[in-house]
Amino acid sequence: MKKFTKALAVFSMVGGAMFGTQALAEPFKIGICYDLSKAYTFATPQVAQAAQDLAKLVNMKGGIGGEPVEVIVRDHGNEPQRGIECYSKLSREGVFVFDTLSTPVSLAILPRAMEDGRILMQSLVGRGDAVDGKVFDWVYPIGPTYWGQAANDVAYIKQLHDGDLSGVKVGFVYFDYPFGQEPIEILETLSEKEGFELELYPVPLPGSDQAGVWSKVRRDKPDHVIVWMLGGAHVVASKEMQRNRIPMEKYISVNWLNEVDIANIGTDAAKGIKRGTNVVGGQDVALFKEIMTELYDNGQGSGPIEKTQDVFYNTGLAMYSIMFEAARNAVELEGLPITPTSYKAGLESLKGYDANGLMAPITVTAEDHGGGGQTRIEMWDGEAWVPQTEWISEYGDVVWDVVKESSAKYEQ
Amino acid sequence: MFYRLSGVHHANYVSDSRIFKVPADRNLAVFIFLIGLAAPFIIPSLYLNSYMLPWLIWTAAALGLNLVTGWAGQLHLGYAAVMAVGAYSAIHAARFGVPWEFALIIGGLTSSVIGSLFAFAALRVKGLYLALTTLAMQFVMDWVLTHSPAISGGSHASLQSPTLAFLGQDITSDTGFYYVAFGWCVLVTIFMLNLKRTGLGRALVAVREKDFAAAILGVNSFYYKILAFATSSFIAGVSGALLVATFFFLAAPEQFSVTVSIQVLAMVIVGGLGSVIGSYFGVALILLVPGLVNGLVVTVSEGLGMQINVETLAHIPNAVYGALIVIILLIEPLGLGKLYGNIRDYLMVWPFDQFKK
C-alpha cells in the first residue's frame, strides 16, 4: 500500500509537471523555415542567430505581454517541397508568423499563407509586388523591394551629379536570372525619365567568370555600376575591376554584400565599395551592444560571436525587432492571446519604427506592406561603413506603378 | 508461408503473361490500393498534404523517367525541363479558359512534342553523349523560363495556377487534391505494370539490352527510342502540371531546375531501374527522407536537451541522408526495388527454401 501511494505521488507529480507546463502561457511563436544548408547559407546562419539572440533577450526582459516568445528554426534546403512541409507542420502546431528568407520557398508558401490567413514575412526575398497590401493581405515584405532599392541607388547617383543625370552613364551588372533581372524595368523607366544612359551587363550564374563583363564595362566607361549579385560574385567582380583598372567607387552593390565579402576582397582593396542597405552596419548599435552585454558576455549567445560581426546579423536583428514589435503592438491593441488578425493589426500600426536606430524607419499601412522602402548608400572606407546619404525613398510613384502592374497579374 | 506457394510455375501462356504472377502480390497491391483510397480518412492531413501528395505525383513522374531510363535504357538529364513544359503550357491553357481536363492533356501533348522533337536531335548520339545532350535541353529550358516573362509570368517569374476543376467541380480541399494525385499515380502505375506485357515494352527492353541486336531482330530502335521519349514526356508533362495545380499552386523556374532533374534521376536509380515498386521507394527516399530525418534529428537533439547550433543541426540530416543512399547502393546496387525483390524471393517459399524457387 505504501508502495502504491508512493507510486501515485510520483505519478501525480510527473503528471502535474507535464500538464502544469501546458497550462502555462503558450509562447508567441515565429516559424523560421530557412535554407541553412544550400544556396542561402551566405546569410541565413547570421540571420537565424540574430533571431534566436533577440528572442532570448525579449524573454529575459519578461517576454511580450508577460508571455515568452519562441523562434523555431528549421532547415528546408531551399527546396519548395520541404518549405511547404515546414510551413504545414509548424502551422498545425499553432505558428502563424513565418519567415523563409528564400525566394523559391517564399513563392511556394505564399498561396497557402494567403489561403490559410497566416502571416508571411518576406523581408528582402520573394515577390516584390507583395508590398501591395490590397492584393497580398497576409504577406509583409518589410524593408526595401529590389525595385525600390534600385530607384534609391539612382536617386543617390542623382545627388552625386547635383540633380542632373543627363549625359550620365549607369551600368547595371546583374545575375542573369529573376533576382538580378528584377530591377531592369525600374532602371529603364528611370533612365527615360531622368535622361541617363543605361547599359546592361548580364552575368551568367554562378558568377565565377566575369572577365567578359568587366572588360566590356571598361570599354563603355559607365560613371557608376549598380550591381545585383551575391556572395562570392562580388569578390570575382572586384578582382576583374582591379584588372581593368576600374575604380572601386563606381561599384554600388545591392544589400547582399557583407563583411565576409569585404574580407575576401581584402579590406584595403575594397576601399570605396558602396552598397545600398536598410540597416545600420557595424557594431555601434544600441541593440547590438545590449545583446553583447546581456548574452555573449555571459556565454549565452546562440552561436559563435564571429557571426555577429556581420551586416546580415544586423539585418536579422532588424527583421525580428519588427516582428516582436508588431507582437507588442498586437497585445496593446487587442490583448492576449495574439491571433493572426491582431498580429496583422499590430504590423499595420508600426509607425516610424527604427528599432532604436538600427535601421531605416518603417511605417506599415494596410496599403503599403513594405514599410516605406527606405535605404541609404554606405561606403567602405577600409575599416568601417560610412553612410553617404540619409535614409531615402525616392521615385515612389514609378516603383508603385511597377508594383501595381505586377500585383494586378496575381489577382487575375 | 506468406505467399502460400511452392514456386512459380506456369502451365500456359495466359498465366505467364499475368500482371501479378503470384496471387499474394496481387492481394498486396489491392490492399495498398485500398489504403490509398482510404488515406484521407486515416492519415492526418499534415502527412496527407505534405508527404503523401508530393510522393504520389513525384512517383508518377519518376515512373515516366523510368520508362525512358529503366526500360529503354536512355539516360535523361533534362526530365525536369520536360515537366516544366507540361506545367507551363497546362497552366497557360487553364488561365486562357480551357477546362482543366483538356489543359492537362494539352500540357502532356506539348511536353510530348517538345520532348520527342528534342529526342530527334539527341538520339543521334548514345550513352553519356545523349545524357549531356539532354542536360543541354535542361539548360535551354532554364534559360527560356528565366528570360521570357510572357511564359514565366512577369518579372518575378512566378505564374499563378487557376483553381483546379474537374467536370465543373472546383477542387480546393486537401482530400480533393490527394485523390487527383492518387488517381494519376494509379493510372501511370497500371500503364507501367502493363507495359512489360506488351510488344512495346519488349521492344524497349530489346533496345535497352543492345540496340543493334534489336535492329537485327527487326525492332526499329530509333522509332522505339522516340516513342519512349514521347510517352515519358507525356507522363512528365501531366505530372508537372498536376504538381503545380495541386501542390505548389504557382509555377516558378526553381521548381524545375537542373537539380530537380538530377533528383528525379536519383529517385529512379536508387529505386531501381525498370522497377515499378522501386520508383515508389526511390521517391520516398529522395523526396521525403531529408525532411523526416531533419525532423528526427531536431526531436532527438531537443529531447536530449542538446544545444546544437542551427547550422550544424541542418547539416547533420544531410550527412545522414547521404550516408543512407551510399549504404543502400552498397547493399544492393540495383536499388530499393531489388532489395524488396530479394526479401520477397526469400519469403516466397519460406520456410521450405531448400526447394527450387
Side-chain angles (χ1 to χ4, degrees), chain B residues 111-126:
Chain B
S111 284
S112 196
V113 167
I114 292 186
S116 39
L117 264 184
F118 199 84
F120 256 110
L123 283 174
R124 302 174 77 86
V125 288
K126 285 183 200 168

Side-chain angles (χ1 to χ4, degrees), chain A residues 115, chain B residues 53 100-101 104 161-181 242 245-246 249:
Chain A
E115 179 79 25
Chain B
L53 179 108
W100 267 104
E101 296 86 350
L104 286 178
S161 153
T163 312
L164 188 66
F166 284 121
L167 306 171
Q169 201 68 39
D170 276 3
I171 297 171
T172 48
S173 68
D174 286 354
T175 316
F177 290 136
Y178 170 78
Y179 277 125
V180 172
L242 283 178
T246 64
F249 305 124

Side-chain angles (χ1 to χ4, degrees), chain A residues 112-133:
Chain A
R112 283 167 200 258
M114 293 279 289
E115 179 79 25
D116 304 347
R118 317 253 172 206
I119 312 279
L120 177 61
M121 304 299 295
Q122 52 159 39
S123 300
L124 304 168
V125 297
R127 47 192 306 157
D129 58 354
V131 293
D132 186 351

Side-chain angles (χ1 to χ4, degrees), chain A residues 36-37 45 52 74-75 80-82 85 88-89 92 112 127-129 147 176 178 181-182 307 410 412, chain B residues 45-46 49-51 95 146-147 155-158 160 247-250 287 291 294 298 310-311 314-315 318:
Chain A
L36 292 159
S37 54
Q52 289 174 311
R74 293 283 180 276
D75 173 47
Q81 191 264 332
R82 282 179 61 192
E85 175 192 325
S88 314
K89 200 165 179 178
R92 279 169 177 80
R112 283 167 200 258
R127 47 192 306 157
D129 58 354
W147 296 324
D176 199 10
Q181 293 160 350
E182 225 177 293
K307 288 244 156 77
Y410 179 87
Q412 275 171 13
Chain B
S45 66
L46 167 68
N49 198 292
S50 329
Y51 297 98
R95 284 171 72 97
T146 49
H147 286 82
S155 56
H156 299 290
S158 71
Q160 187 78 357
F247 186 65
F248 287 133
F249 305 124
L250 53 77
L287 188 73
N294 202 357
V298 168
V310 284
E311 220 184 333
H315 283 93
N318 283 347

